[in-house]
Amino acid sequence: RKDPNRERKIDQLLASVEFTRHWSEVWTAMLVGYTDAFESNREVLRQWLEQAVREDMPYDRQVTRLVAARGVSALDGPVNFLIRYPEEPAVKVTRLFLGVRLDCARCHDHPFDRWTEDDFARMNRFFDATDREEVSEGNIRLFNRRPEVDEDEQPRFLTGARPRTTQWRDELALYMTRSKPFARAYANRLWYHFMGRGIVHPVDDFHRANPPSVPALMEFLSAKVSENRFAVKPMIRLICNSQAYQLSSRSETRGPQHEAVFAYRKLKPLTPEQTYDSAVIALGLEPSSDQRREFLRRVMERSIDEDFSQTWEYRETVQGLMRRLSRTIPAQASAVEELYLRILNRRPTADERQRCRGHSPEDIAFALVNSNEFFFNH
């Protein structure tokens, strides 16, 4: 039964098993994409994130565990984040957690910001004393060794300060999670996840030439993040109860300038996981974890991992998979109206009924699960 109490419904969803699973999938994709590249174990990381969400582990503690991780990949979820990025991990770390494209200073000083080639090199050195070894097949141990470098060769924070101990990654994690850019980058990513656009956009490109589109909102949210001690659920409640989140996507004033100030709700596509799960429910199929995993890898082949491209060889295209799924629709779902109700949650219009005449249930189902209406939230 529909619950008119919005706040109570949000709390109910946040307490659900489905939320912890979904949030772990979203965060895993953000951290490592959809691959087990460089012998990382993506699923062990996802399971650790799911437990962290279930236990309400604050975001700053999660990031500390990821950046300062040590242990074995088969048992210790966080180590799989750094194992996934064996070369220049500072690039991913600064983009994800500080919103800084430090790699733009890899070969020359940053063209739009103050970061220099030396800043890039010094940040990467925080990971120079991190080693990895294979302890068994498919099981990698990540550990720290004592760094032996001259003082001039030590890593350096973006503020110019240097670490005071030999536990460089631990100090980097502490430095980052206590910084204002960390709170701003996290608030911006949360807003982007729910609104489909960051206040600073792209979300990993904070610099002087790319200011927040609504500065007061950016400051308010980053202050709330710190006030809530990086607890995840209070921030989600705040955003989902906001007027901006409740706006309609139907607006007479639609354009880049209106989108930037969140004058209307931007249509947000389903995540790949939601797409597969929705297709399974709509078509009345038995879910398959192997099929789901294969589907995700195909859908995200070139987007999530575009900075660290992987080449995958698939036996069929995503459209081919959707065609195969639609072939198995139940016999009782052969009527046009039943297919529309099952897949789009509405009845067909008179024009749609006319256009469906002469087409098989399989073809109609295939067209509906590939439509924008199915892929996008309204």
Side-chain angles (χ1 to χ4, degrees):
R1 191 177 57 161
K2 189 174 181 179
D3 189 342
N5 188 315
R6 182 182 186 83
E7 293 185 8
R8 185 166 58 205
K9 186 62 177 179
I10 291 172
D11 285 342
Q12 178 187 338
L13 293 173
L14 288 174
S16 68
V17 173
E18 290 79 9
F19 168 77
T20 57
R21 173 78 185 199
H22 172 67
W23 202 246
S24 72
E25 290 177 336
V26 168
W27 232 241
T28 302
M30 182 192 75
L31 291 171
V32 298
Y34 284 85
T35 74
D36 289 325
F38 302 104
E39 300 181 278
S40 61
N41 193 319
R42 183 183 190 277
E43 179 58 17
V44 173
L45 172 60
R46 190 206 63 76
Q47 289 175 5
W48 176 78
L49 286 166
E50 185 173 4
Q51 181 179 354
V53 174
R54 188 183 303 115
E55 296 175 353
D56 291 325
M57 182 186 293
Y59 177 70
D60 58 340
R61 282 183 54 202
Q62 293 180 38
V63 172
T64 296
R65 294 282 303 277
L66 292 165
V67 174
R70 48 181 68 86
V72 294
S73 59
L75 300 174
D76 304 295
V79 305
N80 290 285
F81 170 61
L82 291 182
I83 289 174
R84 170 66 178 82
Y85 303 104
E87 297 180 6
E88 299 181 340
V91 170
K92 194 70 174 180
V93 167
T94 54
R95 279 194 174 211
L96 282 175
F97 307 133
L98 297 176
V100 173
R101 295 187 178 184
L102 197 61
D103 48 316
C104 290
R106 179 187 281 115
C107 305
H108 49 72
D109 292 350
H110 196 296
F112 306 118
D113 217 330
R114 63 184 183 276
W115 314 123
T116 66
E117 265 188 270
D118 191 49
D119 290 328
F120 175 81
R122 295 292 189 127
M123 277 293 285
N124 262 314
R125 286 178 192 158
F126 277 101
F127 302 91
D128 281 355
T130 304
D131 282 344
R132 52 185 279 168
E133 64 176 2
E134 187 173 25
V135 295
S136 59
E137 186 175 356
N139 190 16
I140 308 299
R141 183 168 80 95
L142 197 73
F143 62 97
N144 291 343
R145 56 177 167 78
R146 185 176 181 84
E148 297 179 0
V149 296
D150 296 333
E151 186 174 341
D152 290 340
E153 296 300 315
Q154 282 189 335
R156 189 175 63 202
F157 302 117
L158 293 179
T159 58
R162 298 178 181 180
R164 298 180 179 180
T165 73
T166 58
Q167 300 302 307
W168 289 348
R169 287 190 292 124
D170 297 73
E171 288 204 47
L172 175 62
L174 183 65
Y175 153 78
M176 284 200 313
T177 55
R178 290 185 176 181
S179 70
K180 187 172 182 179
F182 178 77
R184 287 164 59 89
Y186 177 49
N188 194 51
R189 278 194 179 274
L190 282 176
W191 186 263
Y192 164 79
H193 172 75
F194 288 99
M195 303 300 297
R197 188 193 192 283
I199 307 167
V200 171
H201 199 75
V203 290
D204 61 354
D205 199 16
F206 281 70
H207 61 80
R208 288 174 292 190
N210 187 35
S213 59
V214 187
L217 176 61
M218 184 77 266
E219 292 307 311
F220 171 77
L221 288 176
S222 59
K224 283 294 183 181
V225 161
S226 299
E227 180 183 315
N228 286 308
R229 299 181 181 275
F230 292 94
V232 177
K233 291 181 180 178
M235 291 302 299
I236 294 177
R237 288 190 188 95
L238 178 68
I239 294 172
C240 291
N241 278 304
S242 69
Q243 182 181 1
Y245 184 77
Q246 298 177 55
L247 288 175
S248 171
S249 62
R250 301 175 186 274
S251 174
E252 296 297 327
T253 53
R254 293 174 65 96
Q257 70 275 26
H258 303 108
E259 180 182 305
V261 296
F262 312 102
Y264 65 92
R265 273 298 305 279
K266 184 178 179 180
L267 289 178
K268 192 163 74 72
L270 301 174
T271 65
E273 293 88 350
Q274 290 172 327
T275 300
Y276 176 82
D277 294 342
S278 297
V280 166
I281 293 171
L283 297 173
L285 308 177
E286 284 295 324
S288 163
S289 57
D290 289 341
Q291 192 179 69
R292 188 178 194 261
R293 185 162 48 249
E294 190 74 4
F295 175 78
L296 298 180
R297 286 178 173 176
R298 290 183 200 134
V299 170
M300 303 312 296
E301 176 183 5
R302 296 182 181 276
S303 53
I304 288 291
D305 295 321
E306 61 185 1
D307 292 331
F308 304 88
S309 57
Q310 299 289 330
T311 301
W312 294 92
E313 295 180 3
Y314 298 124
R315 293 184 298 275
E316 59 184 353
T317 63
V318 173
Q319 288 77 14
L321 175 59
M322 298 302 271
R323 168 69 73 183
R324 180 156 57 83
L325 290 175
S326 62
R327 285 197 189 108
T328 56
I329 58 173
Q332 65 270 24
S334 59
V336 172
E337 183 161 313
E338 173 67 17
L339 287 171
Y340 268 80
L341 286 170
R342 183 183 289 272
I343 297 173
L344 300 184
N345 199 31
R346 67 172 177 82
R347 289 180 168 80
T349 64
D351 180 59
E352 288 168 336
R353 287 178 188 275
Q354 180 65 32
R355 283 192 286 173
C356 287
R357 285 185 179 178
H359 293 282
S360 69
E362 175 191 324
D363 286 341
I364 297 170
F366 177 72
L368 295 181
V369 296
N370 279 284
S371 67
N372 283 342
E373 187 173 349
F374 181 78
F375 277 103
F376 285 81
N377 293 322
H378 291 269

